[in-house]
Amino acid sequence: MRVNKVLLVNAGTDDHVSSIANDGTFPALGVVSLATVLMHDHPHLEVIAVDGQITPMPVVERLVRDFEPDVLGISVLGTSYRNTLRLAALGKDVGAVTILGNDQAAAMARQILRHREAVDYVCAADVGEFAFSAFISALNGDRPVESVPQLLYRTRDGIAHNALPELPSLLGGGALTTRVLDAVPVPDRSLMPASNWDQYLRNYVERYGSLHDGEITGVTTMNRARGCARVKSPCHFCGIADLTLRFSSPEVFWADVRAGREQVAASIFYEAFDSMSSSPRWVEQLVRAKPDDIGDPKFFVYTQAAETTPRLVELYRGLGVYRVNMGLESGDTRMLKLLKGPRDSLENNRRAATLLKEADILIYGSLVLGGPGETQESLANTVAFAEWLVDNGMMASIQAQPLYPDFGALTGRWLMNPDLARAAAKEKGFEILDEALLESMPDKYGHTDVVDFDEISMDWCRIFSRVGWSELLDATRVVRSYADAHGATSGSSRISEAVLNAG
């Protein structure tokens, strides 16, 4: 075949799923970055990128029918899987080759290909731009499909996985690689419809406009670094497939900022680096390289409480950080060490929050309820901590939800491997509360591609948490109601609206 038209869709959240606090306020950069690389490597292509998070599903479906793409690429999360399947089926109806990417696709690739005939390929690459471009070349007959990095697909012998490096070999790789992401071009944000950018701005101003004194002219996402210092021992609920630290140079970082200002008049930038606090040296390089004529861009970045020091906060201020996403997770030291690791504590959470407050940097924080060994006391400590954060004016927004055991995370692997869970319980000092249920988990969830968030979270709770599911939901509602009543935005992730609103 010869590929002439490609449609890239970030699938919107399924109707039944609760919204997170940031929904629809920052763009899905991935599909824009993919489109940019395709246009560079395959200039004959007609490429459209669209975000289903802010584009109604009927509009996206009409676009698929009217555009009739040769290739339909869908970026899918666990929260958008049902919408993804609808789009994939429609893509096959119009004759498209369908390919899925992003977190859900990478974690569930084999199950998806076994169960969904409407999905032809899955790309499991973390840096997917080069793999996707190679995929188009393979469809055009310019290279064998077996050479496309991190591609999964059906063969006569079963499901094949091209376990090849996803970054071009000339770039090197490995932890703390300084310029490896310079190979990812600055996104051409004009490849996404102007109506999408206008809607992001409206959503952001409506939800967070009060955080700013000056005019907000535009919002955008960028992703010039990836990974986390916890790469060898990640948080137990973290489902990110590759936490190896990788960076762009300061020059390319600021070129991306300049492009965002010129292309979509962005004054607010969400830098999606998994953990900005993991490399203060890189942050310092960015501050030193900040161009004099770049204006006053404001940044929203990820930080970790255990890594947030006075020096780092000073660098954040020099960079222009106005808000951080900080995974607080719990207000109980024992639970923090079980969920994250030995460096984490309530004292560190309070210290980091206070440092940020003193620097006038607000927090977008999340709380994970019902971790292994959660008790009434630890849950009460977390609710009290959330109220302390809100009372002290530290929170722009707060999320709370029962723990969801992502299959890409250690918690999900415990469910799928009971012996691993028992070994962890012995090592870390929590108990398996329902052995029979734990033994049934691999058969229940190991062969399906559709997982009910509420059901698997309830199963997790019965096996690992000493606090019941209904009490976790009550605590979720208490935290969210308190935040809403005191001027902070709230949200929940991976839980259905029906269950959340039932109380």
Side-chain angles (χ1 to χ4, degrees), residues 15-76:
D15 290 340
H16 71 289
V17 177
S18 178
S19 296
I20 63 172
N22 267 348
D23 268 355
T25 56
F26 289 103
L29 186 72
V31 290
V32 178
S33 188
L34 289 173
T36 301
V37 170
L38 290 187
M39 293 299 293
H40 176 271
D41 293 351
H42 308 274
H44 70 280
L45 286 178
E46 184 177 359
V47 182
I48 296 176
V50 65
D51 188 358
Q53 193 64 31
I54 59 170
T55 306
M57 188 66 168
V59 176
V60 179
E61 290 174 321
R62 185 166 62 250
L63 177 60
V64 175
R65 287 190 292 267
D66 293 347
F67 186 55
E68 294 185 333
D70 299 309
V71 174
L72 174 62
I74 308 172
S75 176
V76 52

Side-chain angles (χ1 to χ4, degrees), residues 179-223:
R179 296 174 181 264
V180 67
L181 294 184
D182 281 1
V184 180
V186 171
D188 180 356
R189 295 168 174 87
S190 69
L191 294 173
M192 184 175 281
S195 59
N196 278 191
W197 296 102
D198 293 341
Q199 189 62 53
Y200 297 131
L201 178 58
R202 285 192 294 270
N203 290 350
Y204 184 89
V205 170
E206 179 181 350
R207 206 167 303 172
Y208 297 114
S210 61
L211 303 181
H212 304 273
D213 295 328
E215 181 185 8
I216 304 164
T217 55
V219 297
T220 191
T221 307
M222 57 189 298
N223 195 188

Side-chain angles (χ1 to χ4, degrees), residues 256-321:
D256 203 338
V257 173
R258 192 180 300 279
R261 293 176 67 84
E262 293 172 353
Q263 293 167 351
V264 294
S267 55
I268 305 295
F269 292 79
Y270 168 34
E271 169 49 69
F273 182 6
D274 303 298
S275 178
M276 182 74 89
S277 58
S278 288
S279 186
R281 182 176 64 181
W282 188 64
V283 181
E284 184 174 8
Q285 291 172 355
L286 298 181
V287 173
R288 288 179 176 175
K290 187 175 182 179
D292 293 335
D293 64 343
I294 203 68
D296 188 28
K298 299 298 183 185
F299 294 94
F300 174 36
V301 304
Y302 286 89
T303 199
Q304 297 187 58
E307 297 173 342
T308 300
T309 64
R311 173 57 178 156
L312 182 66
V313 172
E314 180 185 348
L315 289 171
Y316 282 167
R317 293 190 67 180
L319 185 64
V321 173

Side-chain angles (χ1 to χ4, degrees), residues 362-424:
L362 287 167
I363 301 168
Y364 173 112
S366 61
L367 300 170
V368 177
L369 313 179
E374 184 87 83
T375 64
Q376 295 289 347
E377 181 182 4
S378 63
L379 184 63
N381 289 342
T382 296
V383 172
F385 176 54
E387 292 176 350
W388 177 82
L389 290 165
V390 173
D391 288 344
N392 283 279
M394 297 170 168
M395 306 303 293
S397 47
I398 191 165
Q399 278 190 200
Q401 57 276 315
L403 188 149
Y404 172 80
D406 190 303
F407 290 137
L410 188 57
T411 49
R413 294 198 292 275
W414 289 348
L415 280 189
M416 294 297 101
N417 187 335
D419 288 339
L420 184 65
R422 294 187 189 99

Side-chain angles (χ1 to χ4, degrees), residues 369 402 468-478 495 499-500:
L369 313 179
W469 171 255
S470 63
E471 295 165 293
L472 297 179
L473 291 178
D474 287 342
T476 297
R477 298 182 191 108
V478 167
I495 186 170
V499 166
L500 192 59

